[in-house]
């Protein structure tokens, strides 16, 4: 699936750009897994390893990890980088439902 298809796969889509070697990303992995479970049916969640998707990372101007981007109807509406509480991430997603 292309990135364009991913960001248009649901009305609200959360994309995370992460690095497997990044300690902040590692700490966010279980948080993102819980978020994905909690927003199931309301939003889609996709994760991209920046080392495997370098061009996509550059195209999206991702400079720190993890970076979270929320798309509403295929348009970027929110972006945040770094660790964050699960509740804040869910609140951000739900604010665009």
């Amino acid at each position: 699936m292309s990135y364009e298809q991913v960001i248009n796969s649901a009305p609200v889509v959360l994309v995370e750009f992460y690095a497997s070697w990044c300690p902040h990303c590692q700490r966010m992995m279980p948080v993102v897994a819980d978020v994905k479970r909690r927003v199931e049916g309301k939003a889609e969640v996709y994760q991209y390893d920046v080392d495997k998707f370098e061009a996509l990372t550059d195209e999206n101007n991702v400079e720190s990890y993890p970076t979270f981007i929320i798309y509403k109807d295929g348009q970027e509406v929110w972006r945040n980088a770094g660790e964050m509480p699960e509740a804040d991430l869910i609140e951000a997603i739900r604010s665009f439902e």
Side-chain angles (χ1 to χ4, degrees):
M1 186 181 305
S2 73
Y3 193 71
E4 190 69 25
Q5 290 170 315
V6 163
I7 66 173
N8 284 289
S9 64
V12 179
V13 177
L14 171 68
V15 175
E16 177 193 17
F17 286 91
Y18 72 94
S20 59
W21 44 262
C22 162
H24 302 289
C25 302
Q26 291 166 359
R27 284 192 289 272
M28 287 302 296
M29 281 296 173
V31 172
V32 173
D34 283 346
V35 167
K36 187 173 190 173
R37 182 183 48 76
R38 290 183 59 194
V39 301
E40 187 175 355
K42 296 179 181 148
E44 293 292 326
V45 178
Y46 294 90
Q47 296 170 285
Y48 288 94
D49 184 329
V50 299
D51 293 321
K52 295 179 182 170
F53 295 92
E54 290 180 38
L56 191 57
T57 301
D58 291 342
E59 288 168 22
N60 285 282
N61 300 313
V62 174
E63 297 176 355
S64 59
Y65 318 119
T67 291
F68 299 96
I69 305 172
I70 295 175
Y71 293 89
K72 169 94 172 146
D73 299 323
Q75 299 297 314
E76 182 178 329
V77 292
W78 182 90
R79 177 184 289 236
N80 194 25
E83 290 183 55
M84 60 188 304
E86 179 178 335
D88 292 357
L89 199 48
I90 288 174
E91 183 180 324
I93 293 166
R94 290 195 172 145
S95 71
F96 297 105
E97 288 179 351

